[in-house]
């Protein structure tokens, strides 16, 4: 089982991934918590590029795809095969949404093709929040290149459109952490029941 959390910058994926992980561990499940950009070499290179505005969007898309491919085949897939529930703080949908919002040159189809060897996750949960609020949560830190209101409005809209088309879960994350987390736990427990883990 592979569960992915998605949403605009500052929407709370990192907090909710770790809370969900603690909740499922307490229930006795084997959990592997991970994130993208990953901590391997391509992921670290990518993090440097996120501070650099002088990179063509296609370079970003190719690097994110390379990072994901390595991360998926060398880590995520192996954990799934060993019956772990893998919880991803961002995955494929981040590339589809962020990179296609970066430039009209980058179609969703092309991004999907680049990523075609990785398998779709079982559950995708989008944490939805207006960028005005999500960026306030980030105000203490130096902002990276995607962290501006105009761009994030576009990203949010596309996440919501994609959620409708692909039956992703959408949760309003402009609420108390406990309230949001309870909704996430309910969704995940229902899905686990369905596949009789
Ligand atoms: P994020 O998880 O928000 O990093 P941080 O640890 O700094 O909160 O991800 C970094 C940025 O990379 C974020 O703006 C989203 C972007 N991103 C893409 O554009 N494409 C991708 O495929 C991924 C995984 C992330």
């Amino acid at each position: 089982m592979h569960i992915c959390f998605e949403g605009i910058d500052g929407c709370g994926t990192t907090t909710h991934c770790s809370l969900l992980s603690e909740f499922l561990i307490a229930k006795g499940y084997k959990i592997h918590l991970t994130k993208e950009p990953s901590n391997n070499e391509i992921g670290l290179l990518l993090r440097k590029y996120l501070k650099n505005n002088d990179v063509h969007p296609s370079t970003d898309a190719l690097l994110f795809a390379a990072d994901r491919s390595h991360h998926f085949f060398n880590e995520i897939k192996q954990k799934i095969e060993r019956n772990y529930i893998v919880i991803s703080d961002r995955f494929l949908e981040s590339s589809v949404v962020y990179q296609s919002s970066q430039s009209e040159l980058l179609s969703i189809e092309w991004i999907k093709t680049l990523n075609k060897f990785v398998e779709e996750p079982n559950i995708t949960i989008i944490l939805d929040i207006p960028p005005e609020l999500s960026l306030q949560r980030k105000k203490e830190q130096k902002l990276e290149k995607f962290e501006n209101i105009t761009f994030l409005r576009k990203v949010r809209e596309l996440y919501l459109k994609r959620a409708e088309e692909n039956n992703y879960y959408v949760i309003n994350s402009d609420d108390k952490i406990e309230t949001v987390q309870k909704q996430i736990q309910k969704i995940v427990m229902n899905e686990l029941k369905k596949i009789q883990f």
Side-chain angles (χ1 to χ4, degrees), residues 9 36-37 47 50 64 68 90 94-95 98-99 138 144 146:
D9 288 81
E36 287 184 6
R47 292 220 166 260
L50 286 174
F64 279 115
R68 176 162 310 113
R90 297 194 178 282
S94 280
S95 278
Y98 274 78
Q99 272 61 68
K138 293 224 150 205
E144 290 174 342
F146 298 140

Side-chain angles (χ1 to χ4, degrees), residues 3-6 11-21 23-24 87 123-128 169-173 176-192:
I3 306 169
C4 295
F5 283 83
E6 294 281 355
C11 69
T13 53
T14 308
T15 306
H16 286 292
C17 281
S18 56
L19 290 173
L20 178 66
S21 162
F23 170 79
L24 293 174
I87 301 176
I123 309 176
T124 299
I125 299 175
I126 292 164
L127 301 180
D128 183 49
Y169 290 100
V170 178
I171 295 181
N172 170 25
S173 89
K176 279 199 279 194
I177 290 179
E178 307 87 79
T179 312
V180 176
Q181 180 58 209
K182 280 265 173 302
Q183 293 177 63
I184 293 170
Q185 292 170 0
K186 199 168 153 202
I187 288 170
V188 171
M189 291 316 287
N190 275 338
E191 289 287 339
L192 283 170

Side-chain angles (χ1 to χ4, degrees), residues 6-10 13-14 35-38 46-47 50-51 60-61 64-65 67-68 89-99 102 115 138 141 144-147 151-152 159:
E6 294 281 355
I8 64 171
D9 288 81
T13 53
T14 308
K35 65 172 183 181
E36 287 184 6
S38 77
L46 248 172
R47 292 220 166 260
L50 286 174
K51 312 245 179 264
D60 283 326
F64 279 115
D67 182 39
R68 176 162 310 113
D89 182 349
R90 297 194 178 282
F91 191 62
L92 180 56
E93 200 58 33
S94 280
S95 278
V96 169
V97 171
Y98 274 78
Q99 272 61 68
Q102 267 181 282
N115 285 275
K138 293 224 150 205
Q141 307 152 24
E144 290 174 342
K145 71 175 174 188
F146 298 140
E147 296 173 339
F151 182 70
L152 290 182
Y159 265 128

